[in-house]
Amino acid sequence: MNELHAMKELIEDRFNTLAWLGQARQDPIQSNLMLKMIRAGYSPALARAVLERMPADMQTADAQRWVLDTLTRNLKTATEPLCEEGGVVALIGATGVGKTTTAAKLAAQCVRKYGVGSVGLITLDNYRISGYEQLRTYGRMLGVVAHLAHDRAALKDLLNLLTGKRMVIIDTAGLGQRDQRIQEMLDTLDMPSVRKTLVLNAGSHGDTLDDVLTAFKASTLHGVVLSKVDEAVKLGPAIDALIRHQVVLRGVANGQRVPEDWQNPDAAALVRMSLGTESKSAFDPAANEVGFYFSQTMTRPVVMG
């Protein structure tokens, strides 16, 4: 019976795929948009979910606007900057994504707007030799003292000490998405006042971004900061991952300068930028190869609004 069910699912999947591909071949506008999204770095799952909902008989310009509007509507962005939100923000993420630089940028914004006394800095980075020193150096530049917490109890004490601050920023150690210590760190930060914000490298491969969002419990996050946007060849994979995991984008870091290289998220601008890439890549499919991308069942359901 299990084999019969598996065969039935396989047959249904193949017939549905063939029907969809046949429709796409009859509609060159849809085929071209499919190829454009794949080349921009969007996953076949999301591209198919979007284009299946596109109204029929649309002209090229209208169809492109419709795709842009659909992606923009489904990319969740914060209405209020992190600095103005205030509260306790813990920056988490993989190694080398720019958490400490992001912490410095947020602190500098808050100092510039609300004064030196408005910010508290804490680091939980006990692994890197230079981790605490880097944050302390940024703190000295801003006139803010950076504190080191070795464990959950020390973190609680420091949060009580800094309770009068408008914003407290917690920098954490970078951990690869398959590191067993991730859960330990998340448990340390599991306090009602602490809002976990994941820093994602915008230049990472889509599979890596998926893995990171899953490992750091996307559903429990306060939001995401996209870092290294200036280094990303394609923004499609990052935007694709944010849409599929339904996380809120709360900031965009596009360089190393503190605090200049920071932008509040603009969904429409990011989507336009992602689809406007003209760079050619050895990984780009040819027009006659796109069908292979849609020959498999989507592994993760995509909810489109």
Side-chain angles (χ1 to χ4, degrees):
M1 289 301 297
N2 289 337
E3 289 176 354
L4 285 172
H5 283 306
M7 185 175 291
K8 179 185 175 185
E9 290 176 1
L10 179 64
I11 292 171
E12 287 178 349
D13 175 52
R14 290 297 180 265
F15 274 120
N16 289 337
T17 302
L18 287 171
W20 193 87
L21 290 173
Q23 178 187 348
R25 288 193 184 97
Q26 293 172 9
D27 188 344
I29 293 175
Q30 192 178 60
S31 298
N32 289 335
L33 285 171
M34 183 201 313
L35 183 60
K36 186 178 182 69
M37 289 185 71
I38 296 296
R39 283 180 171 170
Y42 287 90
S43 67
L46 186 69
R48 183 170 175 174
V50 170
L51 295 175
E52 280 181 340
R53 290 163 173 78
M54 189 172 75
D57 303 324
M58 295 187 81
Q59 298 303 310
T60 302
D62 293 334
Q64 289 178 346
R65 276 195 297 272
W66 185 89
V67 170
L68 283 169
D69 290 344
T70 301
L71 292 172
T72 300
R73 190 170 60 251
N74 282 275
L75 177 59
K76 295 182 176 180
T77 55
T79 56
E80 190 176 21
L82 273 171
C83 176
E84 293 182 15
E85 264 189 28
V88 182
V89 175
L91 299 175
I92 61 176
T95 53
V97 295
K99 294 184 297 300
T100 305
T101 306
T102 300
K105 290 176 182 178
L106 287 173
Q109 290 173 43
C110 211
V111 166
R112 189 165 57 183
K113 191 162 187 177
Y114 300 105
V116 173
S118 65
V119 184
L121 287 175
I122 301 173
T123 182
L124 282 171
D125 191 349
N126 298 317
Y127 302 117
R128 287 187 306 150
I129 295 173
S130 61
Y132 175 45
E133 289 302 321
Q134 186 181 0
L135 189 68
R136 196 164 72 166
T137 300
Y138 280 129
R140 278 200 300 266
M141 292 166 58
L142 299 171
V144 177
V145 176
H147 304 272
L148 175 63
H150 291 281
D151 52 28
R152 181 182 171 89
L155 178 61
K156 273 187 173 181
D157 290 341
L158 284 172
L159 289 177
N160 289 332
L161 178 68
L162 301 172
T163 190
K165 303 290 184 183
R166 177 180 179 82
M167 188 177 196
V168 177
I169 304 163
I170 303 172
D171 187 23
T172 62
L175 297 173
Q177 66 269 25
R178 294 172 189 173
D179 195 312
Q180 299 300 314
R181 294 172 295 179
I182 287 179
Q183 189 56 54
E184 179 185 334
M185 184 188 67
L186 294 177
D187 290 341
T188 300
L189 295 169
D190 188 18
M191 304 177 194
S193 63
V194 176
R195 294 177 295 184
K196 296 184 287 294
T197 303
L198 180 66
V199 181
L200 277 181
N201 182 351
S204 295
H205 191 279
D207 289 340
T208 302
L209 294 170
D210 250 356
D211 221 20
V212 170
L213 281 161
T214 300
F216 284 92
K217 308 287 194 299
S219 60
T220 67
L221 296 174
H222 179 61
V224 164
V225 170
L226 270 188
S227 68
K228 305 192 178 185
V229 170
D230 55 314
E231 300 176 18
V233 176
K234 296 179 179 179
L235 278 181
I239 293 174
D240 179 284
L242 295 178
I243 290 174
R244 283 184 296 101
H245 287 269
Q246 291 290 284
V247 289
V248 180
L249 180 60
R250 297 195 173 272
V252 176
N254 56 356
Q256 295 296 312
R257 293 180 302 170
V258 177
E260 294 89 350
D261 294 331
W262 177 274
Q263 294 174 349
N264 294 321
D266 182 333
L270 288 168
V271 170
R272 280 197 305 272
M273 192 187 306
S274 72
L275 289 173
T277 179
E278 297 295 334
S279 59
K280 301 296 181 183
S281 166
F283 299 95
D284 289 346
N288 61 353
E289 296 170 344
V290 176
F292 293 111
Y293 282 77
F294 293 86
S295 62
Q296 300 295 325
T297 305
M298 289 184 288
T299 56
R300 181 184 178 87
V302 180
V303 180
M304 303 298 297

